[in-house]
Amino acid sequence: MARKSEKFLELYGYDMLLGSIAAFYVFMVPYTKVEESFNVQAMHDILYHRHQIERYDHLEFSGVVPRTFIFTLLLITLLGPIVLLMNLLHLPKLYSLYAVRLVLGGIVLSTLRFFRIQIKKKFGSQVEAFFIILTASQFHLLFYCTRPLPNILAFALVNLAYGFWFNGSLYAALNCMVFATLVFRCDILLLIAPLGLELLLTKSVSFWKALTSCLAAAFLSIGLTVLVDSFIWRRWLWPELEVFWFNSVLNRSSEWGTHPFRWYFTSALPRSLLAAYPLFLLGVILDRRVFFFILPVLSFVLLYSKLPHKELRFIISSIPIFNFAAAVAASRVYNNRKKSFWKFMYIAMLGLMLGSLACTAVFFMAAYENYPSGYALKALHRIGGVTKNSDELSVHIDTFSAMNGISRFCEDNPWSIWYSKEENISLQDFQMRNFTYLLNENLYIEGFKCLMSVDGFSRVRVRTGFPSISLAKEPKVFIQGNIRNTDIMNRSWPGCSVIP
């Protein structure tokens, strides 16, 4: 029995470590933001509305650009029996969101496992161990791996591509990236282009064989996404082509903010890699084999830096390769730790890893406080109760609240209620509407009384003393009650904090 346990830990111990951390993030921060809204609402609709496509959220709130349903259908196929059991047990719908995110995280981490095994085969078990240590001590990869973002769906395929790349299955690696590009994230083109060019220049692949293989994968990918998504969207479309046109040709993504060219290298990568950031540079110097794997990924980040609108999640596919390079450096430093010069590098590396853990703790605390409307709706369900006019009970969710924690999975409670996400209602018009409650970012709304407020993350504050870093919070979401509903007005409410 002991041998079986040892064998199990040897095979799956690293996966259990990463999976436990990812699951911890799921249960502690279950809510989602606007970037995840399409896939989250799509999963909800397929689970609960099934063939009734006319009730799907995307037909009413289509978003800026369409997205594919392909991965959502695959995930729901795996989840169907679990959700059916939850419905039979009358569990809240939020439990289904837990299940969705846990299964997604399992898929992503299984592809990372495939890549990790190839690292072990090519560079040894010690490099593999440091790869896991660095990944576990970082925040963003394990936090995002359970979040149904298009970037994460593509990330799973890119991990497979990395694994195939390392074990020499180069055409399979290119095909995985072609599928990820044409179905989930068109920006993976910026990764497959430098990778394909490197493979051609080093004569690792044949041009004509690579071309025919990638064309076959492209036709399959486009045919699948057009067939499935045109049916569900009720119009002919290729979602990622429209995304590419919107973001790259029209450059409309810059309407959501811009950053300077250097931002990925001075902000996003240092925050996501932490200790691995200086170590990956050292890995390139210490082992010349690393440069071959780093160059296409570094080119990907450089090419992406040309686009004005930047977010960390856009380059999350680069993190495993950077972690691999850092793990090579960490292994070399560890092996030479008893030598005079390397001893100082070993101490510095340990300090960097401890610093990574501290930064990860701060990032987690900020993330925990960054979904205020999810907590607000949960509080309303808990203390709002059934009024005497329960058949008229309704909650309006404003745009800010819908973007910062609320999805259809949250709209579940023990009392009958109708939810509205109607947009473009002015503050003056609310008093003419018969909403029972409002979840709103505004403190004062005529015809309503502020019943309670929910704080959210504002900024990180550095101070003297211990701890030297603290989180500043401020009221973000206000629960308003209709003053004409005497039952609500006569209850005891926590009251509202004023924004400082």
Side-chain angles (χ1 to χ4, degrees), residues 79-131:
L79 273 170
I82 299 174
V83 174
L84 177 62
L85 178 61
M86 290 180 176
N87 290 339
L88 291 174
L89 296 174
H90 302 290
L91 297 175
K93 284 197 292 185
L94 189 61
Y95 283 50
S96 299
L97 181 58
Y98 288 129
V100 163
R101 290 187 55 196
L102 288 171
V103 171
L104 173 59
I107 292 172
V108 173
L109 291 180
S110 67
T111 63
L112 191 66
R113 167 188 166 82
F114 175 66
F115 175 48
R116 186 251 301 170
I117 290 172
Q118 309 315 312
I119 292 175
K120 179 181 180 180
K121 290 178 179 178
K122 200 171 186 70
F123 289 87
S125 57
Q126 189 167 285
V127 173
E128 175 198 27
F130 276 109
F131 176 81

Side-chain angles (χ1 to χ4, degrees), residues 379-407:
L380 180 60
H381 287 163
R382 186 178 68 252
I383 66 176
V386 180
T387 68
K388 294 176 181 177
N389 301 315
S390 61
D391 57 324
E392 299 175 359
L393 210 58
S394 59
V395 173
H396 180 269
I397 300 164
D398 75 340
T399 302
F400 178 85
S401 299
M403 292 171 62
N404 289 278
I406 293 179
S407 68

Side-chain angles (χ1 to χ4, degrees), residues 185-206:
R185 283 296 302 192
C186 59
D187 49 21
I188 299 299
L189 177 65
L190 300 178
L191 178 58
I192 193 175
L195 174 60
L197 182 61
E198 180 181 82
L199 295 178
L200 287 172
L201 291 176
T202 57
K203 297 183 179 179
S204 301
V205 296
S206 160

Side-chain angles (χ1 to χ4, degrees), residues 146-319:
T146 64
R147 298 193 163 272
L149 292 156
N151 312 83
I152 299 304
L153 310 184
F155 179 48
L157 283 168
V158 171
N159 283 335
L160 287 179
Y162 288 154
F164 287 129
W165 183 19
F166 272 55
N167 73 13
S169 304
L170 303 180
Y171 299 104
L174 293 174
N175 289 340
C176 283
M177 288 196 181
V178 166
F179 191 87
T181 300
L182 299 178
V183 176
F184 297 122
R185 283 296 302 192
C186 59
D187 49 21
I188 299 299
L189 177 65
L190 300 178
L191 178 58
I192 193 175
L195 174 60
L197 182 61
E198 180 181 82
L199 295 178
L200 287 172
L201 291 176
T202 57
K203 297 183 179 179
S204 301
V205 296
S206 160
F207 173 77
W208 292 111
K209 188 175 180 181
L211 180 63
T212 54
S213 177
C214 289
L215 282 176
F219 284 125
L220 175 64
S221 304
I222 295 170
L224 181 62
T225 186
V226 169
L227 181 66
V228 172
D229 294 310
S230 296
F231 174 75
I232 299 179
W233 280 93
R234 295 187 165 182
R235 64 182 177 90
W236 286 104
L237 86 161
W238 171 10
E240 279 310 298
L241 179 61
E242 295 194 17
V243 173
F244 175 78
W245 186 264
F246 182 89
N247 287 339
S248 301
V249 178
L250 301 180
N251 196 24
R252 293 281 304 279
S253 62
S254 59
E255 296 173 9
W256 279 262
T258 61
H259 289 95
F261 179 87
R262 65 181 184 277
W263 187 80
Y264 283 129
F265 295 96
T266 59
S267 179
L269 284 176
R271 282 185 289 123
S272 57
L273 295 176
L274 299 174
Y277 194 49
L279 285 173
F280 99 79
L281 295 170
L282 184 61
V284 174
I285 297 170
L286 294 176
D287 192 330
R288 63 182 181 179
R289 294 176 298 171
V290 171
F291 183 72
F292 176 79
F293 296 106
I294 278 288
L295 184 58
V297 176
L298 199 58
S299 301
F300 164 65
V301 180
L302 280 168
L303 290 170
Y304 223 136
S305 297
K306 293 287 289 181
L307 293 177
H309 180 58
K310 297 177 176 65
E311 293 186 40
L312 187 153
R313 61 189 172 93
F314 293 168
I315 60 164
I316 198 166
S317 296
S318 66
I319 293 178

